[in-house]
Amino acid sequence: MKFLFSFIGAVLMLMFCGCEENSRPKLVMVTEATFPPYEYRAGTQIVGIDPEIVGKIAEKLGYDLVIEDMSFDSVITAVQTGKADIAASGITVTDERREKVLFTLPYVIARQVIIVPENSAIQGKKDLKGKRIGVQHGTTGDIFVSQNIQEPERFSNGALAVAALAAGKLDVVVLDGDPARIHVSRRSNLKILNEPLTHEEYAFALGKHNPELHAQFNAALKELQTAGTLDAVRDKYVSKMLEEAGGNASADAGPFGKLKNSIDLNFLKDARYLYLWKGFWTTVEISFFAVLLGVLIGFGIAVIRSTADQTGKLKILNFLCKIYLTVIRGTPVVVQLLIIYFVIFGAVDVSKVLVAVIAFGINSGAYVAEIIRSGIMSIDRGQLEAGRSLGLSYWQSMREIILPQAFKNVLPALGNEFIVLLKETSISGYIAIVDLTKGGDIIRSQTYDAFLPLMAVALIYLAVVMLLSGLLGRLEKRLKRNE
Ligand code: ARG
């Protein structure tokens, strides 16, 4: 047991303590990277107008740029709470946002536009009422439609909204002008209406606690503007992406040709399979350590609770355990994950994977505790008494007689819990971890293809679960034979 503890401790330290050689200070930029040409993924890199401009400024100020991808509605919170230094995500300056962050000088003039199918009868704002309108959650498009037209359908990113429009699930998408042009250029059945809905300006956002960096940033931005660099960068990406899209229209192929093209597009082009590969390992890593943590917590709690039951001791501990079980089992794991990330570790810089391990471990611990407790209760009380009369202490009888049998009895239920846990980690994307599910999602938002990425992700989970069940089955057999 001791060995196990120190082993886990050592591994955790190696994994999470970011023991880097100290180089230049880091500048952490947050963004939501499905917003071409401002930010998007090329291969596994996040590129675009925002990363390039912020990269140039970071260079000038002597920082190493680190880019993190998260949902757009978390980007402002991240700089507000100090989780990141700068948000660069095609962010429109608004008064509400100004209350939370410091905006730099504007660097782009933008607008919200309406995208409709080629043959749509919708001509402008006046026709929108009552239509199925898609937006990206938390954006100015979302705000405009909610306040001036009706409740929209909110998507986690613009690309998914456009994909839904192209599939006939929406009548309209409201989106920023430049991304709209790029998205539309990649599909043949959509168009953008001429009349824009809003006029806006983009700026970068910094935390209010950071006025010095804000001033330095503004000065550097100003220089880039005077030198004409800002416009040059924007033009470069817009024309590059529009050109790339032109070459995409693939000739009609038979069903096999289509499948092959689809595999090429979803997995091979830009090495997209890497999202699944890396995501898979992240999922495995989170699940593995969370299971360990959950089992440790669960064992401890089960022993405390049954000891309290059988001997009437450990009253206070037992009470605390009950609170833990009630709270953890009474709230959704995704809410727990968000609380642990944004509230408990709000101000500290910890690895997200560690946060996920802690969240899923603590969550699973509650279920494991009850499973093991039911195992302990299933063992006849006489066995404990027999142990005691042989001269063993309570703890010795527990360890030598009760727990081994209990463990064997609950193995199927424990296996079930591990399987649930593995699949539950698929919500890690909520705190911007690229796990298996999120990896598939990223591919989907780049290729606008739902079928293959989702099937691939589902198959990988299925394979892992089958492997796990197989292993547990073997363990069960082994334990039976030892009887
Ligand atoms: N300009 C809009 C806003 O500030 C949308 C920005 C969305 N950006 C993104 N990277 N997804 O609300």
Short mmCIF file of all heavy atoms in Angstrom, two decimals, residues 123-148:
data_model
loop_
_atom_site.label_atom_id
_atom_site.label_comp_id
_atom_site.label_asym_id
_atom_site.label_seq_id
_atom_site.Cartn_x
_atom_site.Cartn_y
_atom_site.Cartn_z
N GLN A 123 -34.71 38.03 -46.82
CA GLN A 123 -33.93 39.08 -47.49
C GLN A 123 -33.20 39.98 -46.52
O GLN A 123 -32.28 40.71 -46.91
CB GLN A 123 -34.85 39.91 -48.36
CG GLN A 123 -35.23 39.14 -49.61
CD GLN A 123 -36.14 39.92 -50.51
OE1 GLN A 123 -36.78 40.87 -50.08
NE2 GLN A 123 -36.19 39.51 -51.77
N GLY A 124 -33.61 39.98 -45.28
CA GLY A 124 -32.95 40.86 -44.32
C GLY A 124 -33.54 40.71 -42.95
O GLY A 124 -34.33 39.80 -42.69
N LYS A 125 -33.15 41.62 -42.08
CA LYS A 125 -33.55 41.58 -40.68
C LYS A 125 -35.06 41.44 -40.52
O LYS A 125 -35.54 40.72 -39.64
CB LYS A 125 -33.05 42.87 -40.02
CG LYS A 125 -33.30 42.93 -38.54
CD LYS A 125 -32.80 44.23 -37.95
CE LYS A 125 -33.51 44.48 -36.63
NZ LYS A 125 -33.38 45.85 -36.15
N LYS A 126 -35.81 42.14 -41.36
CA LYS A 126 -37.27 42.16 -41.20
C LYS A 126 -37.89 40.77 -41.35
O LYS A 126 -38.98 40.52 -40.84
CB LYS A 126 -37.91 43.15 -42.20
CG LYS A 126 -37.61 42.76 -43.65
CD LYS A 126 -38.31 43.68 -44.61
CE LYS A 126 -38.17 43.34 -46.08
NZ LYS A 126 -37.44 42.19 -46.56
N ASP A 127 -37.21 39.86 -42.03
CA ASP A 127 -37.79 38.53 -42.26
C ASP A 127 -37.40 37.50 -41.19
O ASP A 127 -37.75 36.33 -41.30
CB ASP A 127 -37.32 37.97 -43.62
CG ASP A 127 -37.70 38.89 -44.76
OD1 ASP A 127 -38.79 39.52 -44.66
OD2 ASP A 127 -36.93 38.99 -45.72
N LEU A 128 -36.65 37.92 -40.19
CA LEU A 128 -36.06 36.92 -39.29
C LEU A 128 -37.03 36.38 -38.24
O LEU A 128 -36.87 35.25 -37.76
CB LEU A 128 -34.84 37.51 -38.56
CG LEU A 128 -33.63 37.80 -39.45
CD1 LEU A 128 -32.46 38.25 -38.62
CD2 LEU A 128 -33.26 36.56 -40.27
N LYS A 129 -38.00 37.17 -37.86
CA LYS A 129 -38.89 36.78 -36.76
C LYS A 129 -39.52 35.41 -37.04
O LYS A 129 -40.03 35.17 -38.12
CB LYS A 129 -39.97 37.86 -36.60
CG LYS A 129 -40.87 37.66 -35.44
CD LYS A 129 -40.66 38.76 -34.39
CE LYS A 129 -41.04 38.19 -33.04
NZ LYS A 129 -40.15 38.42 -31.99
N GLY A 130 -39.45 34.52 -36.05
CA GLY A 130 -40.11 33.22 -36.20
C GLY A 130 -39.29 32.19 -36.96
O GLY A 130 -39.67 31.03 -37.05
N LYS A 131 -38.13 32.60 -37.49
CA LYS A 131 -37.28 31.64 -38.21
C LYS A 131 -36.38 30.90 -37.21
O LYS A 131 -36.19 31.35 -36.09
CB LYS A 131 -36.43 32.38 -39.24
CG LYS A 131 -37.26 33.04 -40.33
CD LYS A 131 -37.91 31.99 -41.18
CE LYS A 131 -38.70 32.51 -42.37
NZ LYS A 131 -39.50 33.70 -42.17
N ARG A 132 -35.82 29.78 -37.67
CA ARG A 132 -34.85 29.07 -36.81
C ARG A 132 -33.49 29.74 -36.99
O ARG A 132 -32.86 29.59 -38.03
CB ARG A 132 -34.78 27.60 -37.22
CG ARG A 132 -36.09 26.82 -36.99
CD ARG A 132 -36.01 25.46 -37.62
NE ARG A 132 -35.80 25.57 -39.08
CZ ARG A 132 -35.54 24.54 -39.88
NH1 ARG A 132 -35.43 23.33 -39.37
NH2 ARG A 132 -35.37 24.72 -41.18
N ILE A 133 -33.06 30.48 -35.97
CA ILE A 133 -31.83 31.28 -36.09
C ILE A 133 -30.72 30.65 -35.24
O ILE A 133 -30.91 30.41 -34.05
CB ILE A 133 -32.07 32.72 -35.57
CG1 ILE A 133 -33.31 33.31 -36.24
CG2 ILE A 133 -30.83 33.58 -35.82
CD1 ILE A 133 -33.66 34.69 -35.74
N GLY A 134 -29.57 30.39 -35.84
CA GLY A 134 -28.44 29.82 -35.11
C GLY A 134 -27.38 30.88 -34.83
O GLY A 134 -27.12 31.74 -35.67
N VAL A 135 -26.78 30.82 -33.65
CA VAL A 135 -25.69 31.74 -33.30
C VAL A 135 -24.64 30.97 -32.50
O VAL A 135 -24.90 29.85 -32.07
CB VAL A 135 -26.19 32.90 -32.41
CG1 VAL A 135 -27.20 33.76 -33.14
CG2 VAL A 135 -26.77 32.38 -31.10
N GLN A 136 -23.50 31.60 -32.30
CA GLN A 136 -22.53 31.02 -31.35
C GLN A 136 -22.82 31.58 -29.97
O GLN A 136 -22.96 32.78 -29.78
CB GLN A 136 -21.09 31.37 -31.75
CG GLN A 136 -20.10 30.81 -30.72
CD GLN A 136 -18.63 31.08 -31.08
OE1 GLN A 136 -18.33 31.94 -31.89
NE2 GLN A 136 -17.75 30.33 -30.45
N HIS A 137 -22.89 30.67 -29.01
CA HIS A 137 -23.25 31.02 -27.64
C HIS A 137 -22.36 32.13 -27.07
O HIS A 137 -21.15 32.04 -27.12
CB HIS A 137 -23.11 29.75 -26.78
CG HIS A 137 -23.54 29.95 -25.36
ND1 HIS A 137 -23.37 29.01 -24.40
CD2 HIS A 137 -24.16 30.98 -24.78
CE1 HIS A 137 -23.86 29.46 -23.25
NE2 HIS A 137 -24.34 30.67 -23.46
N GLY A 138 -22.99 33.17 -26.54
CA GLY A 138 -22.25 34.21 -25.83
C GLY A 138 -21.63 35.28 -26.71
O GLY A 138 -20.96 36.16 -26.21
N THR A 139 -21.88 35.24 -28.01
CA THR A 139 -21.28 36.23 -28.89
C THR A 139 -22.23 37.42 -29.06
O THR A 139 -23.38 37.38 -28.64
CB THR A 139 -21.03 35.65 -30.29
OG1 THR A 139 -22.28 35.22 -30.82
CG2 THR A 139 -20.09 34.47 -30.21
N THR A 140 -21.73 38.46 -29.71
CA THR A 140 -22.58 39.62 -29.95
C THR A 140 -23.72 39.27 -30.90
O THR A 140 -24.78 39.88 -30.84
CB THR A 140 -21.76 40.80 -30.52
OG1 THR A 140 -20.85 40.29 -31.49
CG2 THR A 140 -20.99 41.47 -29.41
N GLY A 141 -23.51 38.27 -31.75
CA GLY A 141 -24.61 37.81 -32.60
C GLY A 141 -25.73 37.25 -31.73
O GLY A 141 -26.92 37.56 -31.92
N ASP A 142 -25.35 36.43 -30.77
CA ASP A 142 -26.30 35.87 -29.80
C ASP A 142 -27.05 37.00 -29.09
O ASP A 142 -28.28 37.02 -29.01
CB ASP A 142 -25.50 35.01 -28.80
CG ASP A 142 -26.36 34.35 -27.73
OD1 ASP A 142 -27.58 34.58 -27.73
OD2 ASP A 142 -25.80 33.63 -26.88
N ILE A 143 -26.28 37.98 -28.60
CA ILE A 143 -26.89 39.08 -27.84
C ILE A 143 -27.85 39.87 -28.72
O ILE A 143 -28.98 40.17 -28.32
CB ILE A 143 -25.78 40.00 -27.27
CG1 ILE A 143 -24.90 39.19 -26.31
CG2 ILE A 143 -26.38 41.20 -26.56
CD1 ILE A 143 -23.64 39.89 -25.88
N PHE A 144 -27.42 40.16 -29.95
CA PHE A 144 -28.28 40.96 -30.83
C PHE A 144 -29.60 40.24 -31.11
O PHE A 144 -30.68 40.80 -31.00
CB PHE A 144 -27.56 41.26 -32.16
CG PHE A 144 -28.41 42.07 -33.10
CD1 PHE A 144 -28.43 43.46 -33.01
CD2 PHE A 144 -29.23 41.45 -34.04
CE1 PHE A 144 -29.25 44.21 -33.86
CE2 PHE A 144 -30.04 42.19 -34.89
CZ PHE A 144 -30.05 43.57 -34.80
N VAL A 145 -29.50 38.97 -31.47
CA VAL A 145 -30.73 38.24 -31.82
C VAL A 145 -31.63 38.10 -30.59
O VAL A 145 -32.84 38.35 -30.66
CB VAL A 145 -30.37 36.85 -32.40
CG1 VAL A 145 -31.63 36.03 -32.63
CG2 VAL A 145 -29.60 37.00 -33.69
N SER A 146 -31.05 37.77 -29.44
CA SER A 146 -31.89 37.60 -28.24
C SER A 146 -32.61 38.90 -27.89
O SER A 146 -33.76 38.89 -27.49
CB SER A 146 -31.07 37.21 -27.02
OG SER A 146 -30.03 36.38 -27.36
N GLN A 147 -31.89 40.03 -28.03
CA GLN A 147 -32.50 41.29 -27.60
C GLN A 147 -33.44 41.89 -28.64
O GLN A 147 -34.38 42.57 -28.29
CB GLN A 147 -31.40 42.30 -27.26
CG GLN A 147 -30.66 41.90 -25.98
CD GLN A 147 -29.58 42.88 -25.60
OE1 GLN A 147 -29.23 43.77 -26.38
NE2 GLN A 147 -29.03 42.72 -24.41
N ASN A 148 -33.17 41.63 -29.91
CA ASN A 148 -33.95 42.34 -30.92
C ASN A 148 -34.90 41.46 -31.71
O ASN A 148 -35.79 41.99 -32.38
CB ASN A 148 -33.02 43.04 -31.92
CG ASN A 148 -32.15 44.05 -31.23
OD1 ASN A 148 -32.62 45.09 -30.81
ND2 ASN A 148 -30.89 43.72 -31.06
#
